């Protein structure tokens, strides 16, 4: 039984813009859902409708079996988690964090325990007796996040709560959010455009585009088996590589511009460009997708030829961007070997890791 | 991802490459209301180099950039461009282009008019034909040709930032100054544009100072990085040199995501041990020894291990797995070990799960070591 149900949820603005199209989503109790997508995909509008800050133009929302579509935000018992709340300057860190618990009727002993737990997870135990003005900016942000997540509402709604934090701080906060959510078991809807944040936090990632859900699934499932070109490109950093080409009558894939299928079989075998797919697909144009980590250098002459456009050094890995006849390919390489801009490389991949998409609709085949 | 096509020929002649740096900054100081925010910055930018200035919020990055552009006046030190002192020169005469974090376009104007603006500045007597040619060239480079007649207010964030970059390049300045130009964009767009900016700059062969707090931008885009904090330069070097041989734990924490594991350690019977007594590794040569003198370690040391270098096997003292995140190509594990939380980046195929006991170990040649008071 789902805890939060969105059925045929729609939002059309007075000017006719449709921000959300007939959206259906079932969320289990305690589940951590991340709505992921680019600006304008409808993720924030969806969150605001769940909160009651926007009224849907069609469809319904229910929480724990009760229809809340027309309830005021305050009647829904949802907790909003923003990036930063001002702290009460005259209250200690402990009293700041405990503040939302005062109205809950929780016993004093339990309140103390809840605050201790939050402080431990945030690594700020030693600051509990301090006052906000004595804290660094980063510690103030920790405290404010702790206060936002100390109480146990029916739902937590988070709209890019890590917004503009420095990288260090972001990661620590991300881990706190995940741990606190696990511990308290509060059903959570989290909105972000950052795919790494989505992957690391979610039980289920819901990828949105143009007001519609494009795919919903466990992070690994969305990453490994994207339902469309859009999802394949949006999830992953960099996104999946795409190779346009043609599937021949024998079910082999021929990249465009590498001596394609149309040019005759003798050419095909000579250039080694054909890729044998694991299963038989209908002949015709198609797009092959492969993640950068599966692209590997090959002996010269075999595989796909590309000129090194640039290399992005990222510390633990390097991303090599290649210009190929059909477009660009990104290869995730080890940290130790550098590629030189302008040099020509031959690359290939195990066909087992290839995903095939319809070349016009972009849907997975 | 959008790609930059073949780069059209430049409308003007190539500038000859020079062996000496294009930009030299010496002992640059700046105070606001009596409080000094830059305490003597030294840096150099080669004639065909992308220098990234990396630092946290409040490090003094934007102040530095404004001094270079001439928007603020320095209180001490010198700025030299192409051999001549420009420290007190008016912004317009420096011939540099600045791109800000906020897309500063005139919303009602078309893209074309926005881009033409710097070419129509008083004193620039360019012919209409030359202006049109220059705009066409920049639009082709940035792939915004179809947008030229569109009003700026109807552009997406990514399109606006391309136009802002277009407006910066049409003048063919001597130096580009970029102040976190990608920060306000979606993660996905940022990732694409950072590649395009590097490729574009290489084609233009114009030096660039690029300011950011984003370590991934710094590592991936820079020819060299200057790490600054608190108005001081902490380290200068290639991305790889700074990542592998950071001069201090502070610098080490600024590069790499997830951040490096830092453990306080003391020497006991030939072993470096954590505060809780866990032996971390044997004393001897460490990864950064060549770059960093160990200094006096009698007061203890700080050991740094990048998350990709922390092995979860081979050790003797168990740690427990508190959290595992699936990041796509890799997995991130948070381990309670050696008196604190350590992070390890694991292969996608790893089956480590929350609650597992593991035996972490540190390979000395992948570790870094600094004297505790460093």
């Amino acid at each position: 039984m789902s805890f939060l149900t969105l059925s045929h949820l729609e939002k059309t603005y007075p000017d006719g813009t449709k921000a959300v199209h007939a959206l259906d989503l079932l969320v289990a109790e305690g589940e951590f859902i991340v709505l992921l997508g680019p600006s304008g995909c409808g993720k924030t509008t969806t969150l605001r409708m769940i909160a009651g800050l926007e009224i849907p133009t069609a469809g319904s929302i229910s929480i724990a079996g009760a229809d809340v579509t027309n309830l005021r935000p305050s009647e829904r018992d949802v907790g909003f988690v923003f990036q930063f709340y001002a702290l009460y300057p005259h209250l200690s860190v402990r009293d700041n964090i405990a503040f939302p618990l005062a109205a809950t009727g929780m016993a004093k002993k339990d309140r103390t325990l809840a605050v201790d737990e939050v402080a431990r997870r945030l690594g700020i135990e030693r600051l509990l007796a301090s006052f906000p003005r004595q804290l660094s900016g980063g510690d103030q942000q920790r405290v404010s996040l702790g206060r936002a997540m100390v109480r146990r509402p029916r739902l937590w709604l988070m709209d890019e709560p890590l917004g503009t934090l420095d990288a260090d701080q972001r990661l620590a906060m991300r881990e706190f959010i995940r741990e606190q959510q696990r511990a308290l078991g509060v059903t959570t809807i989290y909105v972000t455009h950052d795919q790494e944040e989505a992957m690391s936090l979610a039980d289920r990632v819901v990828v949105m585009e143009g007001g519609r859900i494009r795919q919903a699934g466990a992070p690994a499932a969305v990453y490994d088996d994207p339902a469309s070109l859009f999802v394949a490109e949006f999830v992953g950093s960099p996104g999946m590589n795409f190779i346009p080409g043609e599937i021949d009558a024998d079910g082999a894939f021929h990249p465009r511009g590498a001596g394609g299928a149309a040019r005759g079989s003798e050419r095909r075998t000579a250039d080694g460009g054909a890729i044998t797919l694991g299963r038989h697909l209908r002949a015709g144009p198609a797009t092959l997708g492969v993640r950068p980590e599966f692209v590997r250098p090959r002996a010269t002459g075999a595989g796909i030829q590309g000129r090194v456009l640039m290399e992005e050094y990222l510390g633990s890995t390097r991303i090599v961007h290649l210009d190929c006849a059909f477009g660009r390919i990104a290869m995730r390489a080890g940290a130790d070997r550098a590629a030189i801009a302008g040099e020509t490389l031959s690359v290939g991949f195990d066909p087992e890791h290839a995903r095939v998409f319809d070349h016009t609709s972009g849907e997975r085949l | 991802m959008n790609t930059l096509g073949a780069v059209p020929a430049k409308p003007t002649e190539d500038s000859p490459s020079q062996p000496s740096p294009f930009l030299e900054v010496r002992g640059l100081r700046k105070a606001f209301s009596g409080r000094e925010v830059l305490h003597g910055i030294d840096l150099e930018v080669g004639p065909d180099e992308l220098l990234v200035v990396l630092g946290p919020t409040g490090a003094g990055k934007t102040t530095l950039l404004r001094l270079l552009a001439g928007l603020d006046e320095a209180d001490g030190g010198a700025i030299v461009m192409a051999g001549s002192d420009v420290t007190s020169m008016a912004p317009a005469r420096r011939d540099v282009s600045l791109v800000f974090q906020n897309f500063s376009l005139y919303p009602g104007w078309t893209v074309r008019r926005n881009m033409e603006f710097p070419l129509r500045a008083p004193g620039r007597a360019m012919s209409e034909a030359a202006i049109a040619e220059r705009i066409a060239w920049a639009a082709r480079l940035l792939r915004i040709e179809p947008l030229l007649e569109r009003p700026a207010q109807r552009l997406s964030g990514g399109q606006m930032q391309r136009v802002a970059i277009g407006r910066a390049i049409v003048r063919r300045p001597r130096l580009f100054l970029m102040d976190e130009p990608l920060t306000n964009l979606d993660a996905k767009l940022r990732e694409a544009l950072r590649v395009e900016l590097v490729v574009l700059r290489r084609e233009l062969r114009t030096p660039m100072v690029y300011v950011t707090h984003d370590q991934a931008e710094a590592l991936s885009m820079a020819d060299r990085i200057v790490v600054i904090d608190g108005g001081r330069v902490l380290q200068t070097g290639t991305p790889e040199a700074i990542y592998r041989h950071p001069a201090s734990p502070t610098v080490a924490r600024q590069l790499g995501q997830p951040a490096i594991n830092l453990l306080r350690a003391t020497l006991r019977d030939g072993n470096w041990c954590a505060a809780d007594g866990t032996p971390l590794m044997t004393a001897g040569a460490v990864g950064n020894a060549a770059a960093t003198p160990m200094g006096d370690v009698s007061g203890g040391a700080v050991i740094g291990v990048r998350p990709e270098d922390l092995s979860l096997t081979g050790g003797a003292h168990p740690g427990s797995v508190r959290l595992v995140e699936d990041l796509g190509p890799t997995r991130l594990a948070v381990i309670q070990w050696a008196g604190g939380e350590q992070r390890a980046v694991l292969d996608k195929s790893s089956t480590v799960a929350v609650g597992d006991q593991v035996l972490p170990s540190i390979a000395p040649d992948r570790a870094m070591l600094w004297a505790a008071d460093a």
Side-chain angles (χ1 to χ4, degrees):
Chain A
M1 226 263 334
S2 75
F3 180 73
L4 169 70
T5 306
L6 310 182
S7 49
H8 287 78
L9 203 61
E10 296 216 353
K11 181 69 188 182
T12 311
Y13 287 105
D15 69 353
T17 317
K18 206 164 199 174
V20 176
H21 296 260
L23 188 137
D24 290 304
L25 184 66
L26 303 177
V27 181
E29 185 157 22
E31 198 174 14
F32 198 125
I33 296 283
V34 176
L35 304 181
L36 171 70
S39 315
C41 73
K43 57 191 191 297
T44 295
T45 306
T46 302
L47 191 80
R48 290 174 58 84
M49 287 194 283
I50 299 169
L53 300 172
E54 299 264 7
I55 302 301
T57 40
S60 67
I61 301 168
S62 72
I63 300 175
D67 189 311
V68 302
T69 318
N70 296 307
L71 290 188
R72 269 193 279 264
S74 58
E75 296 166 332
R76 299 186 183 201
D77 188 24
V78 300
F80 251 109
V81 180
F82 297 110
Q83 186 185 336
F84 193 77
Y85 296 83
L87 300 172
Y88 300 110
H90 60 289
L91 296 183
S92 68
V93 167
R94 172 178 290 285
D95 291 343
N96 262 290
I97 295 176
F99 194 82
L101 297 175
T104 61
M106 189 189 266
K108 187 155 190 294
K109 194 181 84 202
D110 294 334
R111 275 185 279 169
T112 306
L113 220 59
V115 174
D116 286 345
E117 275 294 288
V118 164
R120 187 184 58 75
R121 291 193 187 108
L122 282 170
I124 53 166
E125 297 104 315
R126 75 211 140 74
L127 299 176
L128 280 171
S130 310
F131 286 84
R133 64 172 183 281
Q134 298 169 302
L135 307 184
S136 69
D139 284 336
Q140 288 188 18
Q141 272 168 325
R142 280 172 200 252
V143 174
S144 82
L145 189 62
R147 190 175 69 184
M149 293 184 67
V150 70
R151 189 175 75 89
R152 192 193 299 248
R154 295 201 296 178
L155 275 183
W156 270 325
L157 302 178
M158 313 196 185
D159 193 356
E160 313 224 4
L162 305 182
T164 57
L165 298 177
D166 281 359
D168 239 26
Q169 190 76 343
R170 268 179 103 85
L171 211 66
M173 301 290 228
R174 190 169 98 186
E175 285 168 9
F176 168 74
I177 289 175
R178 193 68 184 105
E179 242 189 306
Q180 184 73 359
Q181 193 271 344
R182 282 250 174 85
L184 268 58
V186 176
T187 311
T188 301
I189 314 291
Y190 184 107
V191 160
T192 184
H193 61 78
D194 184 320
Q195 61 90 29
E196 191 192 285
E197 211 165 281
M199 296 277 294
S200 62
L201 283 167
D203 291 321
R204 245 187 328 146
V205 178
V206 175
V207 186
M208 292 182 67
E209 186 213 6
R212 293 187 165 85
I213 293 179
R214 297 300 177 188
Q215 188 171 4
V222 170
Y223 186 84
D224 294 336
D225 287 306
S228 66
L229 290 174
F230 175 78
V231 175
E233 211 285 319
F234 200 81
V235 177
S237 172
M240 195 177 258
N241 293 301
F242 299 129
I243 305 169
E246 192 116 0
I247 299 174
D248 69 14
D250 303 325
F253 180 86
H254 300 268
R256 192 201 297 159
R263 295 197 201 162
S265 54
E266 70 289 353
R267 183 81 185 265
R268 232 183 289 161
T269 43
D271 66 25
I275 293 154
T276 313
L277 302 172
R279 62 210 172 92
H280 209 80
L281 293 163
R282 195 154 46 91
T287 299
L288 205 70
V290 62
R291 294 267 173 215
E293 58 269 29
F294 298 124
V295 179
R296 290 277 166 269
R298 285 268 167 88
T300 316
I304 297 161
Q305 308 283 317
R307 190 179 59 88
V308 176
L309 181 72
M310 78 165 286
E311 179 188 77
E312 294 187 279
Y313 176 74
L314 292 172
S316 55
T317 57
R318 293 172 192 273
I319 308 293
V320 182
H321 296 271
L322 299 164
D323 256 337
C324 303
F326 48 80
R328 275 194 205 164
I329 288 251
M331 169 171 71
R332 186 180 289 271
D336 299 328
R337 188 190 166 277
I340 302 149
E343 79 172 313
T344 299
L345 285 183
S346 295
V347 297
F349 48 86
D350 185 335
E352 173 201 337
H353 299 304
R355 304 287 178 259
V356 189
F357 301 88
D358 185 276
H359 115 113
T360 41
S361 72
E363 300 297 312
R364 179 82 179 274
L365 291 175
Chain B
M1 191 197 292
N2 279 310
T3 58
L4 279 170
V7 173
K10 294 183 198 179
T12 57
E13 71 288 322
D14 279 344
S15 54
S17 63
Q18 299 156 265
S20 55
F22 172 77
L23 171 70
E24 292 178 73
V25 173
R26 296 279 164 255
L28 203 62
R29 295 177 174 278
K30 179 67 187 172
F32 291 110
S33 352
R35 197 175 64 89
E36 194 168 83
V37 292
L38 293 182
H39 310 286
I41 299 281
D42 293 300
L43 58 87
E44 288 182 356
V45 184
D48 186 12
E49 186 178 45
L50 197 165
L51 183 85
V52 170
V53 177
L54 174 72
T57 311
K61 310 184 293 290
T62 297
T63 304
L64 171 63
L65 213 60
R66 289 179 61 87
L67 293 181
L68 297 181
L71 299 176
D72 287 318
E73 211 174 317
D75 296 323
I79 303 169
V80 176
M81 289 183 192
S84 43
D85 192 310
V86 301
T87 319
S88 306
M89 194 183 270
R93 294 189 50 220
R94 297 188 186 198
D95 194 16
V96 302
S97 274
L98 185 56
V99 177
F100 295 102
Q101 180 178 341
N102 299 310
F103 327 123
S104 45
L105 301 178
Y106 296 97
W109 290 11
T110 61
V111 167
R112 180 184 295 281
R113 194 168 166 210
N114 267 291
M115 284 172 64
E116 284 174 351
F117 185 66
L119 299 181
R120 295 188 185 282
R124 284 186 88 96
M126 267 183 94
S127 72
E128 286 304 313
I131 289 177
E133 192 194 337
R134 200 64 80 79
I135 300 301
W137 165 79
R140 215 155 49 230
L141 271 180
L142 289 158
R143 304 169 80 81
I144 49 175
E145 291 153 295
L147 306 177
L148 279 175
E149 313 310 328
R150 197 178 285 186
Q153 63 206 1
R154 285 186 41 223
L155 302 177
S156 70
Q159 290 169 337
M160 278 198 216
Q161 200 55 317
R162 273 170 206 239
V163 174
I165 292 164
R167 194 174 54 181
I169 69 171
V170 287
R171 280 204 301 112
R172 309 288 323 255
R174 298 192 296 169
L175 174 68
F176 290 120
L177 301 173
M178 304 255 167
D179 191 3
E180 311 225 11
L182 308 182
T183 297
N184 286 350
L185 301 175
D186 275 10
K188 208 65 206 174
L189 201 54
R190 246 180 2 231
E191 184 187 294
L193 276 181
R194 79 186 187 207
V195 173
E196 301 208 10
L197 256 180
V198 169
V199 173
L200 175 71
R201 195 214 63 79
R202 282 193 195 152
E203 302 287 357
L204 296 174
R205 293 173 162 238
T206 303
M208 182 186 286
V209 179
Y210 186 103
V211 157
T212 185
H213 70 274
D214 181 327
Q215 62 89 32
E217 272 178 24
L219 285 175
S220 67
M221 294 178 71
D223 293 316
R224 280 185 314 133
I225 299 173
V226 174
V227 182
I228 72 169
D229 199 2
R232 287 192 173 80
V233 173
L234 302 185
Q235 192 171 1
T236 302
T238 63
E240 202 167 352
I242 297 187
Y243 186 83
R244 287 295 357 150
H245 305 291
S248 65
T250 310
V251 173
R253 276 197 74 80
Q254 283 210 28
L255 289 151
Q257 200 182 9
I260 191 166
N261 298 298
L262 294 173
L263 299 118
R264 288 196 155 264
T266 47
L267 207 48
R268 277 184 223 162
D269 308 325
N271 280 311
W272 287 108
C273 295
D276 72 341
T278 308
L280 299 172
M281 60 183 198
T282 53
V286 293
N288 69 332
T292 316
M294 246 163 56
D296 177 13
V297 293
S298 57
V302 174
I303 290 178
V305 191
R306 297 262 174 220
E308 64 271 23
D309 294 330
L310 182 65
S311 168
L312 295 190
T313 56
H317 289 256
S320 66
V321 179
R322 283 186 59 174
L323 190 70
V324 179
E325 292 179 350
D326 200 323
L327 299 181
T330 55
R331 288 157 68 88
L332 169 67
V334 179
I335 318 287
Q336 184 69 39
W337 182 66
E341 279 183 0
Q342 320 302 338
R343 277 153 195 80
V345 171
L346 311 170
D347 204 65
K348 186 183 173 67
S349 58
S350 152
T351 54
V352 165
V354 173
D356 283 1
Q357 295 288 305
V358 290
L359 294 169
S361 64
I362 298 172
D365 64 329
R366 303 298 288 177
M368 300 161 202
L369 191 109
W370 303 272
D373 53 9

